[in-house]
Amino acid sequence: MTSVAALDALDARIRAALVVELGVRHALAYGSRTQVGPDGMPTSDGWSDLEYWAFLEPGATLDALAFLRPLMPIALAVVNPYGTPNVVTPDLIRVELHMVPEDQLAQVSTWPNVGTSPDRMLIKDADGRLRARLEEVAAHPPFAATLPGAQALYDGVLNDLVFGSAVLARGEELRAWELLTPVRGGLLRLIRVLEGLPQPPAPTRRAEREVPEGWRVALRGTVSGGAALAYGQALTLSRRLGMALRLEERAALQEALADRLRVLSGLDSPARDSGGGC
């Protein structure tokens, strides 16, 4: 883990460089280092990444590597699948620098309110428009208030289980494991609803500190053993949560899924060969 002081020092250098960079008209920081929890304390720690957005003057360009190289030692430089330059220092600090034209500034107003502080985010603002947009975001309903209700979350889990189990039945086990990720996310959301816990943008965030051990043990069953058994564990857990939350359980669908998973687990034999597109 990098010390918070080291992250603070690097953050200060990057912020100062963005302020004096002529082609940058507006700049902000993003991520956990700009967020404040319900207790009023920062949510960042020594594991946090550094993330920035630079909104460029018309016609201006910025080479991310050339910009960042004087500010830190760089062990790795890549462009992620979303087109954003990332660099990593030898002590494993990851820095992400989004560079977009100034005319994309309006997109900031569409960002969710995840507890970010405008004062922590703001780096450079040539005309006051960025601060106005950041304050608009801070006035939005909190992210948790924008989530679907418990029944919709539950139905989404069942839908994902149908999809993933069909892929597994086809024989694509690796893809089926991948499709369990949103299932676990939905289950975690439901657990957080049941336990009255915060709903961060990533449902796994702080789960080890917030989610009771019994639920975490149940969730671990969805990441171990054979894929069919993991899907069965996820289905059982969804049923427990549906009952505890007094939701419409979709019993017929639950039973059909259970039958499919028993066949895939080798605990039963299929009554007939059924095809389908997925």
Side-chain angles (χ1 to χ4, degrees), residues 9-34:
L10 179 54
D11 179 42
R13 292 198 298 274
I14 295 173
R15 285 170 176 262
L18 286 168
V19 168
V20 300
E21 181 66 36
L22 295 179
V24 175
R25 186 163 177 81
H26 305 274
L28 61 85
Y30 200 63
S32 63
R33 286 178 57 82
T34 66

Side-chain angles (χ1 to χ4, degrees), residues 15 18 51 99 103 116 126 136 171 174 215 239 243 249 277:
R15 285 170 176 262
L18 286 168
E51 182 178 357
M99 297 173 298
D103 62 12
T116 46
E136 181 183 353
L174 291 177
W215 291 119
R239 181 172 289 173
M243 292 176 64
E249 295 180 51

Side-chain angles (χ1 to χ4, degrees), residues 210-268:
E210 295 175 347
V211 175
E213 173 66 12
W215 291 119
R216 286 187 279 125
V217 169
L219 281 166
R220 289 188 196 110
T222 70
V223 296
S224 60
L229 292 175
Y231 269 82
Q233 287 286 99
L235 182 62
T236 298
L237 183 52
S238 74
R239 181 172 289 173
R240 285 177 58 194
L241 288 164
M243 292 176 64
L245 289 164
R246 301 181 182 277
L247 304 176
E248 171 54 53
E249 295 180 51
R250 319 300 186 198
L253 182 60
Q254 283 265 6
E255 288 306 314
L257 267 169
D259 287 344
R260 172 184 281 177
L261 293 170
R262 277 193 291 270
V263 171
L264 292 173
S265 302
L267 301 177
D268 199 358

Side-chain angles (χ1 to χ4, degrees), residues 63-215:
D63 183 310
L65 187 58
F67 173 79
L68 293 170
R69 185 180 287 115
L71 306 176
M72 70 194 80
I74 293 175
L76 177 69
V78 299
V79 175
N80 71 17
Y82 307 102
T84 303
N86 285 222
V87 301
V88 181
T89 67
D91 51 351
L92 303 183
I93 299 174
R94 192 176 67 85
V95 179
E96 186 167 325
L97 177 57
H98 303 256
M99 297 173 298
V100 296
E102 181 192 13
D103 62 12
Q104 293 189 28
L105 189 66
Q107 71 173 282
V108 173
S109 296
T110 69
W111 292 357
N113 178 4
V114 292
T116 46
S117 161
D119 289 335
R120 288 177 176 272
M121 295 176 74
L122 192 66
I123 296 174
K124 185 176 185 179
D125 190 12
D127 53 19
R129 288 189 298 146
L130 178 56
R131 175 172 285 280
R133 294 192 181 278
L134 293 177
E135 291 177 348
E136 181 183 353
V137 170
H140 289 171
F143 170 79
T146 67
L147 290 171
Q151 185 69 59
L153 287 169
Y154 176 82
D155 290 348
V157 166
L158 292 181
N159 182 62
D160 289 340
L161 284 170
V162 171
F163 180 24
S165 63
V167 168
L168 182 61
R170 180 192 284 151
E172 296 179 353
E173 183 176 3
L174 291 177
R175 186 180 176 209
W177 276 113
E178 179 184 15
L179 292 171
L180 265 177
T181 299
V183 171
R184 282 190 292 272
L187 292 170
L188 255 175
R189 293 274 185 223
L190 289 168
I191 291 167
R192 288 179 178 277
V193 171
L194 181 64
E195 297 289 342
L197 299 172
Q199 293 279 7
T204 51
R205 183 72 188 267
R206 299 186 300 274
E208 286 73 19
R209 282 177 276 174
E210 295 175 347
V211 175
E213 173 66 12
W215 291 119

